[in-house]
Structures are given as C-alpha cells and as structure tokens.
Amino acid sequence: LKTEEQIKELTSDYKYVWKENKNVNSQRKDITEKEFKITYEYGKKVYLKEIDYEKAKTELIENYEMSEGSADIYLYAIVRLINGEKHIGRLITESALKYYVKRIFEDSDKEIQKNCLNSLKIYIDSANKDNYYKKVEDIYLRHLGQSNFVS
C-alpha cells in the first residue's frame, strides 16, 4: 500500500486537476458505475493479497480504460474502508461510497464491517460539516443501525 506521503501527493495532484477541469466536462472523465463496481472487486483482491496494489491499478487502467488517478483513488479508498483507516473523503463519489459500504457489509465478517464503520467515523469526526459530510454521516448511521455494534 501507499505511504501517507504518497497518498497526500496523489490526492493533492488529483484535486489540482479536478479544480482545473471542473468547468470543462470534455477534459474530465467522471468515473462510471461500471468502473467503481469493478474497482471494488479489485480492492477486495488487494485486501485478500490475491493481487498486489500496483498490478490491480494497472489492470483497471489497461482493461477498463480508467484514468490512472481514478483507478488509484478508488482502489485506495476501498482498501482504507476495509482496513478501518480514514477514507479519503470527497475524492470518491457518494454513489461509489454507498456501493462500497453496502458490498463490504454483504461480503465481509463483523470485524471488517467494524473496520468500515470506523473508517467512516474517523472521516466524520475530522471533516468539515458540509453536504458531503452529511452524506457520509447518513451512510454511517444507516449501516450502524443495521449492525449489532456499539458506536
């Protein structure tokens, strides 16, 4: 997995590119539902050590024509959710986050489900209280309510 310094550099670059292109849709390709769903499958494989991170990213780029930035950010987000680390926030879409959390709860044991909730909670506790924060909080509370965990 990437070091914190590498992800800061990556997310910093991605935010810059997004800001530069946000008003020019033809220059920025939004991630599709198909792409974020296949990225989840690769993220699981990375977690299970069936494939290494860089190979998974390369396959997403080559086989599914994802941009390098999207492949890296979405794959990294899944791994962080599974490991219980702060998820990378608004760099992934709300739809992708909902899908990832739903699938983690369907596919995983209680320990990984707790990790996922912890990842969301860390984000909630440190985020600006804006619209994206509220969406993450709603996802967190919905899944907390479906679990037997104490927050």
Side-chain angles (χ1 to χ4, degrees):
L1 294 178
K2 296 194 176 300
T3 66
E4 281 300 314
E5 191 59 37
Q6 288 170 316
I7 196 61
K8 282 179 188 174
E9 182 178 305
L10 171 70
T11 56
S12 172
D13 289 346
Y14 186 80
K15 285 178 187 175
Y16 173 76
V17 170
W18 188 84
K19 284 179 186 173
E20 288 297 308
N21 295 327
K22 71 179 178 181
N23 295 319
V24 186
N25 289 333
S26 63
Q27 291 183 357
R28 190 181 101 216
K29 179 181 171 274
D30 290 333
I31 190 167
T32 66
E33 183 176 344
K34 177 183 175 185
E35 290 170 334
F36 72 67
K37 286 182 174 182
I38 195 66
T39 303
Y40 173 78
E41 298 304 325
Y42 275 92
K44 272 193 343 187
K45 289 178 182 181
V46 169
Y47 175 77
L48 296 171
K49 299 185 184 339
E50 294 173 1
I51 189 172
D52 74 23
Y53 186 92
E54 290 301 320
K55 181 162 177 51
K57 184 175 84 170
T58 299
E59 287 187 18
L60 287 167
I61 294 165
E62 291 176 357
N63 299 338
Y64 299 95
E65 299 180 1
M66 289 181 70
S67 71
E68 182 176 358
S70 290
D72 209 15
I73 288 167
Y74 280 75
L75 193 58
Y76 192 70
I78 297 160
V79 173
R80 292 185 73 86
L81 284 166
I82 291 171
N83 285 328
E85 301 164 323
K86 179 181 175 184
H87 101 83
I88 58 178
R90 60 182 70 249
L91 293 177
I92 66 169
T93 66
E94 176 190 1
S95 299
L97 180 60
K98 283 181 180 177
Y99 179 78
Y100 295 159
V101 174
K102 177 181 173 276
R103 286 296 308 274
I104 288 169
F105 268 72
E106 291 172 353
D107 296 348
S108 305
D109 62 22
K110 294 244 184 252
E111 189 66 31
I112 293 174
Q113 291 173 11
K114 285 180 188 178
N115 288 350
C116 180
L117 287 174
N118 187 55
S119 176
L120 297 174
K121 182 76 168 123
I122 294 167
Y123 175 80
I124 290 165
D125 290 345
S126 65
N128 294 328
K129 308 301 187 236
D130 60 8
N131 198 28
Y132 189 83
Y133 155 86
K134 180 66 176 146
K135 292 172 183 177
V136 173
E137 185 178 50
D138 290 345
I139 294 166
Y140 170 78
L141 293 172
R142 185 176 327 115
H143 286 279
L144 182 66
Q146 293 174 358
S147 69
N148 297 325
F149 311 134
V150 177
S151 62

